[in-house]
Amino acid sequence: EYGASWTTSYTPSSTNEYAGQVLNVLDKLEYNVNVERYSYYPTDTGGDNGWVRELFWDSNYLEGTAPAGTVYKRVKPHLGYDSSVQATPNWWTPSVQTPSIGFATLQDGKYALSVTNGNGDTTASLVVMMLEEDGTWTEVGSITDRSEFEPTTQVVSLSSDVEEGCTLKLVLKGLYSDTEVESSKFILPRIHTLDDLENLTFDEGTFVTKSVHTYDYDITDEATQTSGMQAVDGWDIVTNGNARASGQYAWGADYFLGSSDYKIPATSSEGTTEGGALGIVSVWTAETQYTQSVTLEPGYYDLVIPVYNASGTTAFTKNLIGFIDDSDGTEYLLSTTTYPVGEWTQEALSFELEQQTTGRLSLGYTAADAGSGSMPHLFIDYLSISHEPYVYAPTINSSTLTDGVFSLSISNPNGDSTASLTVLTQEEDGSWTEVASVTDSEQLSLEELSVTLPEGVAEGSVVKVVVGTLYSTRTKESQEFTVTEFKELSALVNLSFDEGTFVTKGVHTYDYDITDEATQTSGMQPVDGWDMAVENGNARAAGQYAYGSSCFLGSDSYLAPAVNSEGTTDGGAFGVVSVWTAQTQYTQSLLLPAGEYKLEIPVYNASGTSAFSKNLIGFIETDGTEHLLSATTYTEGEWTQETLSLSLEKETAGKLSVGYTAANLGSSKMPHLFIDYIRISAAGDDEEEEGLGSVPSPKPDPDAYYDLAGRKVTRPTQTGVYIKAGRKVLVP
């Protein structure tokens, strides 16, 4: 830049001297290989730099250019753009960015790819390669004209022999480097325009034969003009009237849209003159919308919509281009509210449907509170739809331990469309490592399957399952699952809270309340057979108490009852109290066969009449489904016989749970609960059977015997361990 503010100031003494200096500068610019384009930009007359314009023009600006201006005008630059004279510093080589394939479109039986290429006009070539059956790659499309690389997104047309399901990649070479980079592989999805849809390209039916006003009172010649929304084959008009104009226009048609200033472009978004487009304009808050009803199968949908704006830069209120789910009103619409004037904008919209959905394809927009001179006059070239079938997430139902090795029970709704199923385990650093996979096609086709894990996967490991299908490039993951030894019902232990060790100290809710460590403790105490499901700490007290024990729960005012729910002093109970929103919960992993179940739970409240936030007594499935008691208050000083029923349609893993979540209240308000036992019985058990596989609770008949499966035995005839009066006894 000659004479810029950061160089030494120079003012020629005459117009001829200035003309000579201009010629010298132009000569340097013209033949400098590092300059592609240049321009003088003198400032307006006035101020310190007013002389610049005066030296280019004659004194009154009417008779023509001054000598300097004449020199500048006569010089015809030969260097618009010439790659042969380009030069770059030998110490600098631009890095080559890896391109990527965004999505595919299908028009007139030929595919095209939308490609993102951040190298711009430093790209030498971009080639699309297709994988052949013998493992070789064949070129099926390319861009070699450097002028097409200026935008970040390019469209590459593919040869007619490219079909859905083939594998593609991009190979790009930079202009200043011999390095070639390749994109990730891309599987061309199944693309169709859905057989029951019509006129998505706006080439069918009748084009407008009159110019279209936004208001009927603007019509001056009914033979050549009309107003409002015009009929479009295959599409329904939602609301017609003034303040809107629309219709199907042939490319280059002389009929205006809205008013005489706004007309359809001469060619389509692909540069052709065949067919036409849907033209739309709305003004003064009106809504112009065309729809077409369609039922879409579950899957992933990509819509491509080229949009041209003939005029109008004011943002409209709402874009109505997309898909509307009629079942619940969910809208999948473009968010764009402004479009550059005089250009095609390639719009793309993606959404997914988990189930078959009936709705409407929609085109149009809702205007802002502005008129025709401000609102966009849009022309839509076509609406293309690509579809991939939906991939359903798998579910890990349970884990079982056999001979020291875990296996997972997995539900996979994708069935025989499954292409891959992989089990990953989480490492300590948070990364995921593959530990098992299914390759057998027959097993992959099953909706319920079992996968054995390697010996290194131990209890407590976190795993997930990833599936891919034959007809989609996408994958789906299960929820994370903690590997657990889920017990059979008959293997559950200590459901009557008689086994193991009873508390031998009073249990405070807060550790700072302890005054004598020999006789007092705090928090959640160990209970045989049960896991603490929450982190231990203050604001909770729990443990296994013998009936009539002098060890308190929460504080010295609250003690276990003297007798159990059956009136005997045998055994013990699970005691629990939570305060100030804390959660106290113990669980035991369990695998239940499909069926109907009944849980019986006697609950005693030593003190506290305020309601807690959530009852945690019951059964919780691994997927989070909860079967819990609803009671949040219990009568003080009484046993309440709770009953919970649950129905399982299939074998279900989960956790038996006891405890509750406190309200925002202290120990004097929150219930101090004691649970006598949990008895589980399956539908069809007669009254004599005490919980399929459960350890029975004490019964009114202290002389009765029960086997370890919970069945009443009239008289033991075989040597073994039995239950009598709530305790295990050995019969020789």
Side-chain angles (χ1 to χ4, degrees):
E1 186 169 334
Y2 182 81
S5 60
W6 56 84
T7 62
T8 302
S9 176
Y10 169 71
T11 304
S13 59
S14 68
T15 56
N16 287 329
E17 182 183 353
Y18 188 73
Q21 294 295 338
V22 167
L23 186 60
N24 289 334
V25 171
L26 293 179
D27 185 63
K28 291 181 181 296
L29 293 174
E30 187 70 18
Y31 295 101
N32 189 318
V33 295
N34 291 315
V35 177
E36 288 189 359
R37 55 187 67 88
Y38 56 86
S39 174
Y40 267 84
Y41 40 95
T43 61
D44 290 335
T45 302
D48 295 336
N49 296 321
W51 61 271
V52 179
R53 176 168 289 279
E54 291 172 355
L55 290 176
F56 267 96
W57 298 89
D58 69 289
S59 57
N60 59 15
Y61 294 91
L62 296 175
E63 297 178 4
T65 55
T70 301
V71 168
Y72 186 81
K73 182 175 65 173
R74 288 177 177 175
V75 172
K76 303 296 183 184
H78 74 275
L79 184 62
Y81 181 84
D82 187 348
S83 61
S84 66
V85 297
Q86 286 193 113
T88 56
N90 57 16
W91 46 264
W92 175 74
T93 301
S95 61
V96 181
Q97 300 181 40
T98 302
S100 62
I101 300 174
F103 54 86
T105 60
L106 180 64
Q107 285 291 313
D108 299 325
K110 292 186 65 176
Y111 285 94
L113 297 180
S114 175
V115 174
T116 300
N117 171 24
N119 298 286
D121 62 1
T122 64
T123 306
S125 64
L126 188 147
V127 178
V128 182
M129 307 293 289
M130 180 177 71
L131 182 64
E132 302 287 358
E133 291 183 358
D134 62 1
T136 60
W137 292 86
T138 302
E139 179 178 334
V140 292
S142 66
I143 298 178
T144 55
D145 183 351
R146 287 187 56 207
S147 65
E148 295 184 36
F149 292 125
E150 188 67 32
T152 303
T153 302
Q154 293 111 41
V155 176
V156 187
S157 297
L158 306 182
S159 58
S160 57
D161 59 342
V162 176
E163 298 178 347
E164 66 179 65
C166 69
T167 300
L168 305 173
K169 68 178 179 182
L170 302 175
V171 179
L172 182 144
K173 186 175 181 180
L175 185 65
Y176 303 110
S177 172
D178 292 331
T179 303
E180 286 188 348
V181 293
E182 294 184 1
S183 70
S184 300
K185 296 180 178 63
F186 178 85
I187 299 176
L188 196 63
R190 180 174 62 184
I191 298 179
H192 52 75
T193 55
L194 304 181
D195 293 339
D196 51 351
L197 292 174
E198 302 177 53
N199 198 19
L200 298 187
T201 58
F202 306 107
D203 299 335
E204 304 171 18
T206 305
F207 297 112
V208 296
T209 56
K210 299 180 180 182
S211 294
V212 186
H213 286 284
T214 50
Y215 286 89
D216 52 14
Y217 50 71
D218 289 329
I219 298 172
T220 57
D221 179 4
E222 292 187 355
T224 60
Q225 299 172 18
T226 186
S227 68
M229 299 177 67
Q230 309 304 302
V232 176
D233 270 25
W235 293 86
D236 299 318
I237 296 173
V238 177
T239 304
N240 205 347
N242 279 327
R244 49 178 68 84
S246 61
Q248 182 171 296
Y249 287 73
W251 300 118
D254 198 36
Y255 305 111
F256 62 70
L257 173 68
S259 71
S260 58
D261 296 327
Y262 317 120
K263 296 181 180 180
I264 188 172
T267 61
S268 71
S269 60
E270 298 172 351
T272 65
T273 57
E274 297 178 358
L278 175 67
I280 291 175
V281 62
S282 290
V283 298
W284 305 116
T285 72
E287 180 176 281
T288 303
Q289 185 181 24
Y290 290 85
T291 62
Q292 189 167 169
S293 296
V294 61
T295 298
L296 299 178
E297 296 300 317
Y300 306 91
Y301 290 86
D302 295 306
L303 275 59
V304 178
I305 313 102
V307 180
Y308 180 91
N309 184 12
S311 179
T313 57
T314 298
F316 43 81
T317 302
K318 184 178 182 179
N319 198 319
L320 297 173
I321 300 175
F323 177 73
I324 301 171
D325 183 346
D326 284 343
S327 64
D328 59 9
T330 301
E331 297 178 333
Y332 306 95
L333 302 174
L334 294 176
S335 59
T336 310
T337 55
T338 59
Y339 289 95
V341 175
E343 295 182 13
W344 282 103
T345 300
Q346 188 87 341
E347 287 278 37
L349 175 68
S350 299
F351 60 92
E352 64 181 66
L353 301 173
E354 188 173 350
Q355 58 189 3
Q356 188 182 71
T357 303
T358 298
R360 290 165 292 149
L361 291 177
S362 173
L363 298 169
Y365 72 83
T366 303
D369 195 14
S372 184
S374 301
M375 297 312 302
H377 294 64
L378 304 183
F379 290 91
I380 298 171
D381 189 356
Y382 59 81
L383 188 155
S384 173
I385 306 176
S386 64
H387 165 242
E388 290 183 6
Y390 194 77
V391 182
Y392 294 93
T395 301
I396 303 176
N397 300 315
S398 64
S399 54
T400 55
L401 182 65
T402 305
D403 298 329
V405 176
F406 279 101
S407 59
L408 300 179
S409 171
I410 299 170
S411 294
N412 175 25
N414 300 289
D416 57 11
S417 68
T418 305
S420 63
L421 187 148
T422 305
V423 181
L424 308 176
T425 187
Q426 190 172 39
E427 304 291 350
E428 290 184 0
D429 62 1
S431 63
W432 292 87
T433 302
E434 179 180 333
V435 292
S437 63
V438 178
T439 56
D440 180 72
S441 58
E442 184 174 346
Q443 192 176 10
L444 283 173
S445 68
L446 300 175
E447 293 192 6
E448 302 290 337
L449 67 156
S450 177
V451 178
T452 301
L453 304 180
E455 292 184 1
V457 180
E459 185 165 11
S461 299
V462 177
V463 297
K464 65 181 178 181
V465 174
V466 181
V467 297
T469 66
L470 297 170
Y471 308 111
S472 177
T473 58
R474 296 166 171 84
T475 59
K476 274 292 182 68
E477 297 182 354
S478 69
Q479 292 185 339
E480 295 176 8
F481 178 88
T482 301
V483 176
T484 306
E485 183 182 358
F486 289 95
K487 301 170 184 175
E488 299 289 340
L489 195 54
S490 59
L492 292 174
V493 296
N494 200 18
L495 296 188
S496 59
F497 304 108
D498 295 339
E499 303 174 23
T501 305
F502 297 116
V503 296
T504 58
K505 299 179 181 181
V507 185
H508 286 286
T509 50
Y510 287 89
D511 52 14
Y512 52 71
D513 288 330
I514 298 172
T515 57
D516 180 6
E517 292 187 355
T519 61
Q520 299 172 18
T521 186
S522 67
M524 298 170 66
Q525 307 305 304
V527 177
D528 268 24
W530 293 84
D531 300 317
M532 296 179 192
V534 294
E535 185 176 353
N536 201 353
N538 282 326
R540 51 180 64 85
Q544 183 171 292
Y545 287 74
Y547 288 112
S549 171
S550 60
C551 298
F552 60 76
L553 173 67
S555 71
D556 55 14
S557 301
Y558 314 119
L559 303 175
V563 295
N564 63 29
S565 60
E566 307 294 345
T568 71
T569 58
D570 296 322
F574 170 72
V576 57
V577 62
S578 292
V579 297
W580 304 117
T581 72
Q583 177 177 314
T584 306
Q585 185 181 22
Y586 290 72
T587 61
Q588 193 166 164
S589 298
L590 171 63
L591 183 64
L592 285 175
E596 306 286 332
Y597 294 90
K598 181 175 72 171
L599 277 64
E600 298 173 73
I601 313 105
V603 180
Y604 180 90
N605 183 13
S607 179
T609 57
S610 294
F612 44 81
S613 296
K614 185 176 183 179
N615 197 320
L616 297 173
I617 300 173
F619 179 70
I620 303 173
E621 300 180 25
T622 53
D623 66 0
T625 303
E626 296 178 333
H627 309 272
L628 301 174
L629 295 177
S630 59
T632 55
T633 59
Y634 289 96
T635 305
E636 286 184 323
E638 293 184 10
W639 283 101
T640 301
Q641 185 69 36
E642 288 275 37
T643 301
L644 178 67
S645 297
L646 61 138
S647 177
L648 303 176
E649 295 182 356
K650 62 179 182 179
E651 184 179 68
T652 303
K655 293 184 178 182
L656 207 57
S657 172
V658 291
Y660 73 82
T661 303
N664 195 24
L665 296 169
S667 185
S668 63
K669 302 291 186 180
M670 286 289 93
H672 294 64
L673 303 183
F674 291 90
I675 298 172
D676 191 0
Y677 58 81
I678 296 180
R679 183 179 300 145
I680 307 175
S681 58
D685 290 349
D686 59 39
E687 295 180 358
E688 295 289 313
E689 294 180 329
E690 298 305 323
L692 178 62
S694 68
V695 176
S697 67
K699 298 299 290 180
D701 182 2
D703 296 322
Y705 287 87
Y706 302 87
D707 65 16
L708 294 182
R711 294 180 290 257
K712 189 174 182 179
V713 179
T714 304
R715 177 179 293 180
T717 58
Q718 297 179 352
T719 299
V721 178
Y722 294 84
I723 304 296
K724 181 182 180 184
R727 294 187 178 280
K728 292 180 180 179
V729 296
L730 177 64
V731 176

